[in-house]
Amino acid sequence: MSAPILSVRALERRVGDVEILRRIDLDVMPGEAIGVIGPSGSGKSSLLRCIAGLDEVSGGAVMVEGRQTRPGDGAVGMVFQQFNLWPHLTARENVALALKLVRRMPAADAAAKADAALARVGLGALGGRKPAALSGGQQQRVAIARTLAMEPRVLLFDEPTAALDPELTTEVLDVIRDLAAAGTTMLVVSHEMGFIARLSTRVVFLDHGVVVQAAPPAALFGAQAEPRVRSFLQTYLDRVAWARDA
Amino acid sequence: MIAALLESFAAAARGLPLTLAIWGAGVATGLALGFVIGAVRFFAPAALSWPLAAVVEAVRGVPFLVQCFLLYFGGPFIGIDLTPIVAGWVALSVYGAAYFSEVFRAGFMAVPPGHLEAARMLGIPRNQAVLRIMLPMMALAVLPSLANLAVILIKETAILSIITVPELTFRVQGVGSATFAFAETTLVLALVYWALVEATAVASRHAERRIARALAA
Ligand SMILES: Nc1ncnc2c1ncn2[C@@H]1O[C@H](COP(=O)(O)OP(=O)(O)OP(=O)(O)O)[C@@H](O)[C@H]1O
Ligand SMILES: [Mg+2]
């Protein structure tokens, strides 16, 4: 068995006397896709932001390939719910900026690499457009290309389709699925249960900052679900059923 | 009466170059100083930001006329002995900077933190993120407010006449005191400043569009 690429050890985050994450332990093997689900406010975003180094941790450690991470050290890439594309730059410039400033690539090489990353998310032809001239799904795919171009060891997705119209989610989820199939190590927070069930090698269920269950999707979405997980999924299924009947 | 009007217009024309020069210089240094104050108040720790906030509040809370008096007549008591034109330029710069700084500070605050977090995750250094992402993003947002303030400042230059800066108002009032044609001189002042404000407003909208287009390119 190989070593984990990402290790989360006894991770804690407190703000004042609010406990947001409580002793989270998680080992992620290379090539794994970890789905993270749980009710609103359970700490899913906080977990990803602590792994990314964007939120301060109160205890424990996050290691990528045995080294403690810092934001921007290239270990972890993050895709945000709100895309966070820079509006004054074209799609290509959004992807190329860090290649130029951080990797110190010459402009032409950076642009070529940016175009390759855009092609990988199906946007090869739209590099010259500003974010405002792209649909939400296209914008999120540019954001994914921007992260991919820096070749992080682990990719984090925090509700990548939550800000999208339902008909635009598929194109983004397909890109994430392709990346997982190509062996990208990732953690994905999402409320798209069907997607999470099909994508994930393991699913982590968080509640009140605690990992209630971490198991392969067949177990977690099936008969071996913990009672708290089962009740959460039941509410979710009820909502889907209601939507289908309505 | 016609003679008084003509004489007033002639005096206005003689004062106009200095009014425009002192306004242009005041706006330029006011913008630069305002940008620095706004940036320090946004980025620097509270220990640095607080005293500046107090100064900005004081400048915004005291009438420009009183500030000019303080600088020009009070300055010599603490060793600041300025000629009227320099005093006028300094006063206008400080006054403008206080207002400009608030616009810049609001501009910094309006850049969504997520846009900078994205840069941070990619390893883009903070100073580069400010230069390449924050400033261009805020530029478009602050441009109209800055232009609007610059236009307002042209009216404030009239106050410099009371510290004997020989600008437009000073010259036209000179005609008034010599001829006692106060109605005519005042009417000319009103018309000339109104025209100036309209002209600078048009010019600033034009500049605004050009800068916006340059930034968008
Ligand atoms: N800076 C903070 N200060 C105080 N409380 C915070 C802070 N950030 C997050 N929280 C709290 O921590 C808890 C977890 O928040 P988090 O955003 O991680 O939840 P989440 O699972 O991502 O929820 P959602 O599904 O709504 O996105 C929430 O109760 C939230 O109010
Ligand atoms: Mg969240």
Side-chain angles (χ1 to χ4, degrees), chain A residues 49 52-54 71-74 76-78 80 83-89 94 97-98 100-102 130 146-147 150, chain B residues 112-125 128-129 131-138 140 213 215-217:
Chain A
R49 291 177 59 84
L54 289 174
D73 64 4
V76 176
M78 178 114 162
F80 301 85
F83 330 141
N84 291 331
L85 292 184
W86 305 309
H88 58 294
L89 301 179
N94 263 276
L97 189 64
K100 285 193 279 195
L101 296 179
V102 183
K130 292 268 177 74
R146 180 172 70 176
T147 305
M150 295 301 281
Chain B
H115 286 71
L116 298 173
E117 283 181 347
R120 195 168 162 220
M121 286 309 295
L122 295 166
I124 296 173
Q128 290 279 6
L131 201 67
R132 306 291 203 108
I133 295 161
M134 219 177 180
L135 293 183
M137 278 186 70
M138 66 181 269
L140 282 182
R213 221 175 308 128
L215 282 170

Side-chain angles (χ1 to χ4, degrees), chain A residues 13 15 18-21 38-47 55 81 158-159 189 191 206:
Chain A
R13 174 164 160 80
V15 176
V18 185
E19 294 213 48
I20 296 171
L21 296 174
S40 183
S42 58
K44 305 180 296 294
S45 295
S46 299
L47 174 61
D55 278 356
Q81 181 177 338
D158 190 5
E159 304 205 33
V189 173
H191 290 289
L206 274 182

Side-chain angles (χ1 to χ4, degrees), chain A residues 117-181:
Chain A
L118 288 170
R120 188 151 179 216
V121 298
L123 294 175
L126 300 183
R129 290 214 196 155
K130 292 268 177 74
L134 296 168
S135 74
Q138 290 168 336
Q139 289 185 52
Q140 189 59 296
R141 286 189 282 154
V142 173
I144 294 172
R146 180 172 70 176
T147 305
L148 275 183
M150 295 301 281
E151 298 166 4
R153 309 295 293 144
V154 178
L155 263 180
L156 308 176
F157 293 90
D158 190 5
E159 304 205 33
T161 60
L164 299 175
D165 290 339
E167 46 310 357
L168 297 178
T169 61
T170 323
E171 62 187 66
V172 172
L173 298 182
D174 284 348
V175 166
I176 298 172
R177 210 181 338 248
D178 288 348
L179 290 172

Side-chain angles (χ1 to χ4, degrees), chain B residues 7-146:
Chain B
E7 205 179 326
S8 299
F9 274 117
R14 281 194 302 280
L16 182 62
L18 184 59
T19 287
L20 289 178
I22 215 162
W23 172 70
V27 166
T29 42
L31 278 171
L33 192 59
F35 179 79
V36 171
I37 294 171
V40 169
R41 287 197 60 199
F42 182 79
F43 291 107
L48 252 162
S49 158
W50 250 92
L52 274 181
V55 173
V56 167
E57 282 313 300
V59 172
R60 298 204 308 162
V62 174
F64 186 52
L65 176 85
V66 177
Q67 290 178 43
C68 291
F69 275 146
L70 276 174
L71 178 64
Y72 186 65
F73 298 114
F77 288 100
I78 54 166
I80 305 174
D81 204 348
L82 304 174
T83 66
I85 290 180
V86 173
W89 167 61
V90 170
L92 195 66
S93 301
V94 170
Y95 184 75
Y99 286 91
F100 287 134
S101 76
E102 286 293 276
V103 174
F104 283 118
R105 195 167 68 93
F108 282 120
M109 289 195 295
V111 176
H115 286 71
L116 298 173
E117 283 181 347
R120 195 168 162 220
M121 286 309 295
L122 295 166
I124 296 173
R126 173 99 169 136
N127 57 342
Q128 290 279 6
V130 170
L131 201 67
R132 306 291 203 108
I133 295 161
M134 219 177 180
L135 293 183
M137 278 186 70
M138 66 181 269
L140 282 182
V142 299
L143 224 48
S145 308
L146 296 179

